[in-house]
PDB file of all heavy atoms in Angstrom:
ATOM      1  N   SER A  22     -57.070 -38.603 176.172  1.00 97.00           N
ATOM      2  CA  SER A  22     -56.094 -38.683 175.136  1.00 97.00           C
ATOM      3  C   SER A  22     -55.733 -37.272 174.510  1.00 97.00           C
ATOM      4  O   SER A  22     -54.645 -37.125 173.959  1.00 97.00           O
ATOM      5  CB  SER A  22     -56.475 -39.656 174.114  1.00 97.00           C
ATOM      6  OG  SER A  22     -57.646 -39.263 173.472  1.00 97.00           O
ATOM      7  N   TYR A  23     -56.690 -36.426 174.711  1.00 98.00           N
ATOM      8  CA  TYR A  23     -56.406 -35.008 174.147  1.00 98.00           C
ATOM      9  C   TYR A  23     -55.185 -34.414 174.752  1.00 98.00           C
ATOM     10  O   TYR A  23     -54.540 -33.590 174.140  1.00 98.00           O
ATOM     11  CB  TYR A  23     -57.583 -34.066 174.377  1.00 98.00           C
ATOM     12  CG  TYR A  23     -57.958 -33.935 175.874  1.00 98.00           C
ATOM     13  CD1 TYR A  23     -57.435 -32.891 176.594  1.00 98.00           C
ATOM     14  CD2 TYR A  23     -58.766 -34.752 176.534  1.00 98.00           C
ATOM     15  CE1 TYR A  23     -57.621 -32.718 178.023  1.00 98.00           C
ATOM     16  CE2 TYR A  23     -59.072 -34.583 177.875  1.00 98.00           C
ATOM     17  CZ  TYR A  23     -58.460 -33.617 178.579  1.00 98.00           C
ATOM     18  OH  TYR A  23     -58.794 -33.461 179.952  1.00 98.00           O
ATOM     19  N   LYS A  24     -54.827 -34.772 175.992  1.00 98.00           N
ATOM     20  CA  LYS A  24     -53.684 -34.183 176.540  1.00 98.00           C
ATOM     21  C   LYS A  24     -52.409 -34.543 175.862  1.00 98.00           C
ATOM     22  O   LYS A  24     -51.443 -33.707 175.797  1.00 98.00           O
ATOM     23  CB  LYS A  24     -53.493 -34.685 178.044  1.00 98.00           C
ATOM     24  CG  LYS A  24     -54.609 -34.116 178.977  1.00 98.00           C
ATOM     25  CD  LYS A  24     -54.534 -34.691 180.342  1.00 98.00           C
ATOM     26  CE  LYS A  24     -55.602 -34.087 181.268  1.00 98.00           C
ATOM     27  NZ  LYS A  24     -55.419 -34.566 182.699  1.00 98.00           N
ATOM     28  N   HIS A  25     -52.229 -35.731 175.300  1.00 97.00           N
ATOM     29  CA  HIS A  25     -51.156 -36.162 174.574  1.00 97.00           C
ATOM     30  C   HIS A  25     -51.033 -35.509 173.196  1.00 97.00           C
ATOM     31  O   HIS A  25     -49.955 -35.419 172.600  1.00 97.00           O
ATOM     32  CB  HIS A  25     -51.016 -37.667 174.509  1.00 97.00           C
ATOM     33  CG  HIS A  25     -51.095 -38.395 175.829  1.00 97.00           C
ATOM     34  ND1 HIS A  25     -50.050 -38.241 176.740  1.00 97.00           N
ATOM     35  CD2 HIS A  25     -52.074 -39.041 176.403  1.00 97.00           C
ATOM     36  CE1 HIS A  25     -50.474 -38.940 177.807  1.00 97.00           C
ATOM     37  NE2 HIS A  25     -51.589 -39.402 177.653  1.00 97.00           N
ATOM     38  N   GLU A  26     -52.157 -35.110 172.693  1.00 97.00           N
ATOM     39  CA  GLU A  26     -52.335 -34.469 171.324  1.00 97.00           C
ATOM     40  C   GLU A  26     -52.234 -32.978 171.324  1.00 97.00           C
ATOM     41  O   GLU A  26     -52.099 -32.356 170.257  1.00 97.00           O
ATOM     42  CB  GLU A  26     -53.547 -34.984 170.662  1.00 97.00           C
ATOM     43  CG  GLU A  26     -53.500 -36.492 170.553  1.00 97.00           C
ATOM     44  CD  GLU A  26     -54.809 -36.983 169.952  1.00 97.00           C
ATOM     45  OE1 GLU A  26     -55.532 -36.315 169.224  1.00 97.00           O
ATOM     46  OE2 GLU A  26     -55.322 -38.129 170.403  1.00 97.00           O
ATOM     47  N   ALA A  27     -52.329 -32.357 172.563  1.00 98.00           N
ATOM     48  CA  ALA A  27     -52.415 -30.905 172.568  1.00 98.00           C
ATOM     49  C   ALA A  27     -51.018 -30.249 172.254  1.00 98.00           C
ATOM     50  O   ALA A  27     -50.005 -30.774 172.566  1.00 98.00           O
ATOM     51  CB  ALA A  27     -52.846 -30.449 173.964  1.00 98.00           C
ATOM     52  N   PHE A  28     -51.156 -29.092 171.617  1.00 98.00           N
ATOM     53  CA  PHE A  28     -49.988 -28.274 171.259  1.00 98.00           C
ATOM     54  C   PHE A  28     -49.764 -27.171 172.227  1.00 98.00           C
ATOM     55  O   PHE A  28     -48.770 -26.523 172.221  1.00 98.00           O
ATOM     56  CB  PHE A  28     -49.978 -27.915 169.863  1.00 98.00           C
ATOM     57  CG  PHE A  28     -50.992 -26.855 169.525  1.00 98.00           C
ATOM     58  CD1 PHE A  28     -50.829 -25.460 169.679  1.00 98.00           C
ATOM     59  CD2 PHE A  28     -52.233 -27.299 168.954  1.00 98.00           C
ATOM     60  CE1 PHE A  28     -51.868 -24.592 169.388  1.00 98.00           C
ATOM     61  CE2 PHE A  28     -53.156 -26.379 168.635  1.00 98.00           C
ATOM     62  CZ  PHE A  28     -53.051 -25.088 168.838  1.00 98.00           C
ATOM     63  N   SER A  29     -50.792 -26.988 173.142  1.00 98.00           N
ATOM     64  CA  SER A  29     -50.793 -25.843 174.086  1.00 98.00           C
ATOM     65  C   SER A  29     -51.773 -26.127 175.200  1.00 98.00           C
ATOM     66  O   SER A  29     -52.773 -26.728 175.009  1.00 98.00           O
ATOM     67  CB  SER A  29     -51.022 -24.516 173.393  1.00 98.00           C
ATOM     68  OG  SER A  29     -50.994 -23.457 174.316  1.00 98.00           O
ATOM     69  N   SER A  30     -51.484 -25.522 176.354  1.00 98.00           N
ATOM     70  CA  SER A  30     -52.428 -25.487 177.478  1.00 98.00           C
ATOM     71  C   SER A  30     -52.294 -24.285 178.269  1.00 98.00           C
ATOM     72  O   SER A  30     -51.188 -23.618 178.252  1.00 98.00           O
ATOM     73  CB  SER A  30     -52.305 -26.746 178.381  1.00 98.00           C
ATOM     74  OG  SER A  30     -51.071 -26.749 179.076  1.00 98.00           O
ATOM     75  N   SER A  31     -53.352 -23.868 178.874  1.00 98.00           N
ATOM     76  CA  SER A  31     -53.281 -22.619 179.791  1.00 98.00           C
ATOM     77  C   SER A  31     -54.328 -22.763 180.839  1.00 98.00           C
ATOM     78  O   SER A  31     -55.295 -23.535 180.737  1.00 98.00           O
ATOM     79  CB  SER A  31     -53.543 -21.396 178.947  1.00 98.00           C
ATOM     80  OG  SER A  31     -54.856 -21.495 178.197  1.00 98.00           O
ATOM     81  N   HIS A  32     -54.135 -21.991 181.914  1.00 98.00           N
ATOM     82  CA  HIS A  32     -55.066 -22.019 183.115  1.00 98.00           C
ATOM     83  C   HIS A  32     -56.011 -20.764 182.844  1.00 98.00           C
ATOM     84  O   HIS A  32     -55.527 -19.689 182.566  1.00 98.00           O
ATOM     85  CB  HIS A  32     -54.265 -21.841 184.377  1.00 98.00           C
ATOM     86  CG  HIS A  32     -55.183 -21.880 185.536  1.00 98.00           C
ATOM     87  ND1 HIS A  32     -55.275 -20.857 186.309  1.00 98.00           N
ATOM     88  CD2 HIS A  32     -55.965 -22.887 186.024  1.00 98.00           C
ATOM     89  CE1 HIS A  32     -56.149 -21.112 187.384  1.00 98.00           C
ATOM     90  NE2 HIS A  32     -56.654 -22.316 187.092  1.00 98.00           N
ATOM     91  N   ILE A  33     -57.294 -21.073 183.081  1.00 98.00           N
ATOM     92  CA  ILE A  33     -58.278 -20.037 182.954  1.00 98.00           C
ATOM     93  C   ILE A  33     -59.124 -19.928 184.233  1.00 98.00           C
ATOM     94  O   ILE A  33     -59.604 -20.900 184.790  1.00 98.00           O
ATOM     95  CB  ILE A  33     -59.177 -20.205 181.686  1.00 98.00           C
ATOM     96  CG1 ILE A  33     -58.344 -20.174 180.416  1.00 98.00           C
ATOM     97  CG2 ILE A  33     -60.424 -19.285 181.698  1.00 98.00           C
ATOM     98  CD1 ILE A  33     -59.154 -20.613 179.222  1.00 98.00           C
ATOM     99  N   GLN A  34     -59.347 -18.632 184.715  1.00 97.00           N
ATOM    100  CA  GLN A  34     -60.352 -18.399 185.654  1.00 97.00           C
ATOM    101  C   GLN A  34     -61.228 -17.268 185.143  1.00 97.00           C
ATOM    102  O   GLN A  34     -60.756 -16.309 184.493  1.00 97.00           O
ATOM    103  CB  GLN A  34     -59.641 -17.832 186.982  1.00 97.00           C
ATOM    104  CG  GLN A  34     -58.921 -19.028 187.804  1.00 97.00           C
ATOM    105  CD  GLN A  34     -58.468 -18.500 189.069  1.00 97.00           C
ATOM    106  OE1 GLN A  34     -57.965 -17.506 189.175  1.00 97.00           O
ATOM    107  NE2 GLN A  34     -58.729 -19.326 190.104  1.00 97.00           N
ATOM    108  N   GLN A  35     -62.474 -17.514 185.281  1.00 96.00           N
ATOM    109  CA  GLN A  35     -63.379 -16.486 184.799  1.00 96.00           C
ATOM    110  C   GLN A  35     -64.662 -16.269 185.778  1.00 96.00           C
ATOM    111  O   GLN A  35     -65.084 -17.212 186.346  1.00 96.00           O
ATOM    112  CB  GLN A  35     -63.874 -16.761 183.382  1.00 96.00           C
ATOM    113  CG  GLN A  35     -64.622 -18.090 183.250  1.00 96.00           C
ATOM    114  CD  GLN A  35     -64.883 -18.399 181.750  1.00 96.00           C
ATOM    115  OE1 GLN A  35     -63.924 -18.331 180.846  1.00 96.00           O
ATOM    116  NE2 GLN A  35     -66.023 -18.903 181.423  1.00 96.00           N
ATOM    117  N   GLY A  36     -65.052 -15.122 185.797  1.00 96.00           N
ATOM    118  CA  GLY A  36     -66.226 -14.731 186.523  1.00 96.00           C
ATOM    119  C   GLY A  36     -67.230 -13.980 185.737  1.00 96.00           C
ATOM    120  O   GLY A  36     -66.809 -13.395 184.626  1.00 96.00           O
ATOM    121  N   TYR A  37     -68.392 -13.748 186.120  1.00 94.00           N
ATOM    122  CA  TYR A  37     -69.482 -13.045 185.419  1.00 94.00           C
ATOM    123  C   TYR A  37     -69.966 -11.863 186.202  1.00 94.00           C
ATOM    124  O   TYR A  37     -70.485 -11.994 187.290  1.00 94.00           O
ATOM    125  CB  TYR A  37     -70.586 -13.997 185.105  1.00 94.00           C
ATOM    126  CG  TYR A  37     -70.215 -15.112 184.080  1.00 94.00           C
ATOM    127  CD1 TYR A  37     -69.474 -16.233 184.468  1.00 94.00           C
ATOM    128  CD2 TYR A  37     -70.445 -14.940 182.704  1.00 94.00           C
ATOM    129  CE1 TYR A  37     -69.018 -17.124 183.605  1.00 94.00           C
ATOM    130  CE2 TYR A  37     -69.906 -15.741 181.816  1.00 94.00           C
ATOM    131  CZ  TYR A  37     -69.255 -16.935 182.251  1.00 94.00           C
ATOM    132  OH  TYR A  37     -68.823 -17.824 181.284  1.00 94.00           O
ATOM    133  N   ILE A  38     -69.822 -10.724 185.546  1.00 95.00           N
ATOM    134  CA  ILE A  38     -70.358  -9.463 186.105  1.00 95.00           C
ATOM    135  C   ILE A  38     -71.845  -9.507 185.924  1.00 95.00           C
ATOM    136  O   ILE A  38     -72.665  -9.162 186.761  1.00 95.00           O
ATOM    137  CB  ILE A  38     -69.850  -8.216 185.475  1.00 95.00           C
ATOM    138  CG1 ILE A  38     -68.371  -8.087 185.947  1.00 95.00           C
ATOM    139  CG2 ILE A  38     -70.594  -6.923 185.770  1.00 95.00           C
ATOM    140  CD1 ILE A  38     -67.565  -6.981 185.262  1.00 95.00           C
ATOM    141  N   CYS A  39     -72.327 -10.068 184.764  1.00 91.00           N
ATOM    142  CA  CYS A  39     -73.745 -10.205 184.379  1.00 91.00           C
ATOM    143  C   CYS A  39     -73.920 -11.553 183.707  1.00 91.00           C
ATOM    144  O   CYS A  39     -73.196 -11.816 182.805  1.00 91.00           O
ATOM    145  CB  CYS A  39     -74.183  -9.049 183.601  1.00 91.00           C
ATOM    146  SG  CYS A  39     -75.950  -9.275 182.888  1.00 91.00           S
ATOM    147  N   SER A  40     -74.923 -12.354 184.109  1.00 88.00           N
ATOM    148  CA  SER A  40     -75.086 -13.593 183.342  1.00 88.00           C
ATOM    149  C   SER A  40     -76.653 -13.796 183.151  1.00 88.00           C
ATOM    150  O   SER A  40     -77.123 -14.865 183.471  1.00 88.00           O
ATOM    151  CB  SER A  40     -74.422 -14.832 184.076  1.00 88.00           C
ATOM    152  OG  SER A  40     -74.991 -14.906 185.417  1.00 88.00           O
ATOM    153  N   ASP A  41     -77.264 -12.750 182.796  1.00 82.00           N
ATOM    154  CA  ASP A  41     -78.730 -12.859 182.559  1.00 82.00           C
ATOM    155  C   ASP A  41     -78.940 -13.656 181.320  1.00 82.00           C
ATOM    156  O   ASP A  41     -78.196 -13.635 180.431  1.00 82.00           O
ATOM    157  CB  ASP A  41     -79.362 -11.472 182.435  1.00 82.00           C
ATOM    158  CG  ASP A  41     -79.444 -10.629 183.704  1.00 82.00           C
ATOM    159  OD1 ASP A  41     -79.392 -11.390 184.810  1.00 82.00           O
ATOM    160  OD2 ASP A  41     -79.475  -9.488 183.656  1.00 82.00           O
ATOM    161  N   ARG A  42     -80.151 -14.236 181.205  1.00 77.00           N
ATOM    162  CA  ARG A  42     -80.500 -15.069 180.001  1.00 77.00           C
ATOM    163  C   ARG A  42     -80.394 -13.983 178.803  1.00 77.00           C
ATOM    164  O   ARG A  42     -81.037 -12.903 178.777  1.00 77.00           O
ATOM    165  CB  ARG A  42     -81.860 -15.600 180.127  1.00 77.00           C
ATOM    166  CG  ARG A  42     -82.252 -16.542 178.960  1.00 77.00           C
ATOM    167  CD  ARG A  42     -83.495 -17.205 179.317  1.00 77.00           C
ATOM    168  NE  ARG A  42     -83.874 -18.076 178.155  1.00 77.00           N
ATOM    169  CZ  ARG A  42     -83.635 -19.369 178.140  1.00 77.00           C
ATOM    170  NH1 ARG A  42     -83.256 -20.009 179.180  1.00 77.00           N
ATOM    171  NH2 ARG A  42     -84.064 -20.101 177.115  1.00 77.00           N
ATOM    172  N   GLY A  43     -79.664 -14.434 177.842  1.00 78.00           N
ATOM    173  CA  GLY A  43     -79.635 -13.584 176.572  1.00 78.00           C
ATOM    174  C   GLY A  43     -78.351 -12.707 176.514  1.00 78.00           C
ATOM    175  O   GLY A  43     -78.094 -12.053 175.495  1.00 78.00           O
ATOM    176  N   ARG A  44     -77.684 -12.530 177.611  1.00 87.00           N
ATOM    177  CA  ARG A  44     -76.430 -11.674 177.534  1.00 87.00           C
ATOM    178  C   ARG A  44     -75.510 -12.023 178.791  1.00 87.00           C
ATOM    179  O   ARG A  44     -76.020 -12.206 179.927  1.00 87.00           O
ATOM    180  CB  ARG A  44     -76.829 -10.169 177.436  1.00 87.00           C
ATOM    181  CG  ARG A  44     -77.445  -9.706 178.756  1.00 87.00           C
ATOM    182  CD  ARG A  44     -77.959  -8.227 178.584  1.00 87.00           C
ATOM    183  NE  ARG A  44     -78.948  -7.890 179.592  1.00 87.00           N
ATOM    184  CZ  ARG A  44     -80.284  -8.172 179.417  1.00 87.00           C
ATOM    185  NH1 ARG A  44     -80.663  -8.788 178.443  1.00 87.00           N
ATOM    186  NH2 ARG A  44     -81.074  -7.699 180.295  1.00 87.00           N
TER     187      ARG A  44
END
Side-chain angles (χ1 to χ4, degrees):
S22 62
Y23 62 89
K24 291 180 180 181
H25 305 290
E26 299 173 34
F28 65 88
S29 177
S30 69
S31 56
H32 182 244
I33 295 174
Q34 288 188 310
Q35 63 191 41
Y37 290 84
I38 291 175
C39 171
S40 61
D41 290 338
R42 188 173 178 102
R44 64 186 162 277

